[in-house]
Amino acid sequence: MIRIKKLNKSFGSLHVLKDVDLSVSEREVVVLIGASGSGKSTLLRCINFLEIPDSGSDEISIMGQTVDPQKDNLNQIRSEVGMVFQHFNLFPHRSVLENVTEAPIFVRKLKKSAAVDMAMQLLKKVGLADKAKSYPDQLSGGQKQRVAIARALAMSPKIMLFDEPTSALDPELVGEVLQVMKELAKEGMTMVVVTHEMGFAREVGDRVMVMDEGRIIEEGEPVELFQNPKLERTQKFLSQIL
């Protein structure tokens, strides 16, 4: 579903991603962990072309199509790759229902009645059908993030990217968001998740990748990686968070 070869990304003189190779198979859940500033979020944003990789980066392939950011329709590619952000990014002046239906109506050109039916099904899926007429400022952080997940799913993406979806939430609200993500994984959604929730990584991840200073330095199945990290840098990072 995703294949990346020798991805580089710099912001001015700051070299954030350095020759990153990554592949994600259909129905696989890959969890990216690592210290703040290691490049995890930038990698996700490059997969979704919210950041354009440096020229000279070898290849980004999404669902078998090698993407050329200069020539290809990036909005069309983004419509297949849903993204959930740390800070929800809901439209504050639109109701929950309007937040979920906007993209299907205006991007997918779905009829409003069909978009509303689908949105209500998705809100039911994330446990928020009763909040359809509410506005974001009337919701808790956990509820906002579940609406954001429903909004991303409304585009019927083939891949979902999660960028620290629980890090802005109060601890007691984290579980409700992770539960929705666990259900998606059970249903076979291909997912790449940046998170500090190691319990989620251990339970749901098929592979865990450790990033450090712009590189993927180690990867493996969660239990093996957490119990027997090979690199000293990974051992030190895990000792600080486990």
Side-chain angles (χ1 to χ4, degrees), residues 110-218:
L110 212 59
K111 286 184 179 176
K112 184 175 180 180
S113 58
V116 168
D117 287 346
M118 180 177 65
M120 290 306 300
Q121 289 175 6
L122 289 170
L123 289 172
K124 184 177 179 182
K125 183 189 189 82
V126 300
L128 290 173
D130 60 327
K131 299 292 185 182
K133 294 181 180 177
S134 299
Y135 284 79
D137 65 0
Q138 299 172 306
L139 305 178
S140 71
Q143 289 170 332
K144 289 177 188 174
Q145 196 59 291
R146 285 186 281 152
V147 173
I149 293 172
R151 183 180 62 179
L153 291 173
M155 289 295 285
S156 303
K158 307 293 191 299
I159 300 164
M160 285 283 285
L161 309 177
F162 292 87
D163 188 9
E164 299 197 36
T166 60
S167 64
L169 301 180
D170 292 332
E172 68 270 20
L173 302 177
V174 168
E176 64 190 58
V177 174
L178 294 180
Q179 187 57 43
V180 172
M181 294 169 64
K182 289 174 186 176
E183 292 298 324
L184 284 179
K186 275 185 197 170
E187 292 167 9
M189 176 62 76
T190 305
M191 297 162 61
V192 183
V193 183
V194 172
T195 187
H196 294 294
E197 299 292 336
M198 295 302 119
F200 174 87
R202 194 187 301 264
E203 181 182 347
V204 182
D206 296 301
R207 276 188 297 152
V208 175
M209 297 183 172
V210 184
M211 291 195 71
D212 184 54
E213 296 185 349
R215 302 179 190 276
I216 296 171
I217 60 170
E218 188 166 354

Side-chain angles (χ1 to χ4, degrees), residues 51-67:
E51 301 289 353
I52 303 301
D54 294 349
S55 58
S57 293
D58 271 10
E59 181 182 308
I60 296 183
S61 173
I62 305 293
M63 297 185 300
Q65 175 191 348
T66 300
V67 181

